Amino acid sequence: MSTGVYIRISSHTQTSDSQRTEIQRWLDAHGYQPDSVHWFEDIESGVSMNRKRLDALHQAIFTGEIKTVVVWKLDRLARSMREGINTLSRWCEAGARVVSITQQLDLSGPVGRLVAGVLFGIAEIEREHIRERQTAGIAAAKQRGVYIGRKKGATKVPTGPEQAQALRARGLKNREIAAILKVTERTVGNYLNANRH
């Protein structure tokens, strides 16, 4: 039987390197052989469950090819509590063991599924909070007359650092820039620092 590693990033501007590195370190520490590990990676929002590689992992679990699933964190599977619990329940019923390495969880029994339910609930609340902060930041930028929004008919999409620099030039704070670009304040700081070099 094989092990399936599931990785998800939300967009092409992100990289899965950190997830891969930590998961590989965990696999090596637990004696997993490289030829027994299959990697599944999606570039898709956690809100959508229609993901090509996740579907392939589902199929491999239900055919019995994959017996252990390793993820970096549970929110890589789903951001919705209902979808996350449903997915884990189906996998566990098919006899799969699910391991979340950063949360140090082994979800192979009813207690594990209960803990997973709580964590998925927290992830869903965090997603709502992020959405509320984005809305508030955009509203504040509009009120100050510095919200640029999306340009119609634009063919070249500015990079994150370019957008952050343009918004900073209009007087926005890091918090407001983060809300508009839908990234963290730390990422905004990295964007602005990148433009100084």
Side-chain angles (χ1 to χ4, degrees):
M1 297 300 178
S2 297
T3 298
V5 173
Y6 183 72
I7 292 175
R8 181 184 62 77
I9 54 176
S10 299
S11 71
H12 289 278
T13 61
Q14 298 177 337
T15 175
S16 62
D17 292 351
S18 60
Q19 290 183 54
R20 283 182 171 273
T21 299
E22 289 192 48
I23 290 173
Q24 188 60 61
R25 188 181 301 123
W26 186 89
L27 292 169
D28 292 342
H30 289 80
Y32 286 83
Q33 298 302 314
D35 58 356
S36 70
V37 178
H38 299 274
W39 295 75
F40 301 82
E41 180 172 344
D42 279 313
I43 303 175
E44 187 69 56
S45 166
V47 178
S48 171
M49 295 301 287
N50 296 321
R51 300 179 228 147
K52 185 176 180 180
R53 299 301 289 158
L54 182 61
D55 290 342
L57 177 57
H58 281 315
Q59 184 175 356
I61 290 170
F62 295 133
T63 58
E65 180 186 351
I66 298 292
K67 281 297 182 184
T68 299
V69 177
V70 179
V71 295
W72 181 71
K73 195 175 178 182
L74 285 179
D75 68 3
R76 298 301 86 196
L77 294 176
R79 289 289 184 90
S80 159
M81 181 169 63
R82 183 186 65 199
E83 292 290 354
I85 292 174
N86 286 346
T87 297
L88 284 178
S89 294
R90 290 195 297 269
W91 289 359
C92 290
E93 286 168 6
R97 169 189 175 214
V98 183
V99 179
S100 170
I101 64 164
T102 59
Q103 294 159 315
Q104 299 183 9
L105 292 174
D106 188 332
L107 310 174
S108 54
V111 174
R113 290 197 293 275
L114 175 62
V115 172
V118 172
L119 292 173
F120 278 123
I122 292 171
E124 190 168 4
I125 290 169
E126 286 176 350
R127 183 164 54 87
E128 288 303 317
H129 284 171
I130 290 170
R131 185 177 297 152
E132 289 170 4
R133 288 196 299 270
Q134 288 170 347
T135 302
I138 289 171
K142 284 181 177 178
Q143 189 174 19
R144 292 172 59 190
V146 292
Y147 179 65
I148 57 176
R150 293 184 181 179
K151 295 180 180 179
K152 293 183 179 178
T155 55
K156 181 184 176 183
V157 179
T159 64
E162 289 171 347
Q163 291 175 319
Q165 194 68 35
L167 292 167
R168 171 50 60 83
R170 291 176 179 228
L172 270 72
K173 298 177 181 176
N174 282 17
R175 175 175 48 81
E176 295 167 334
I177 296 171
I180 292 169
L181 298 184
K182 298 183 179 180
V183 296
T184 64
E185 288 186 50
R186 181 177 180 180
T187 299
V188 169
N190 291 337
Y191 284 168
L192 295 173
N193 288 334
N195 274 284
R196 293 194 183 114
H197 300 298

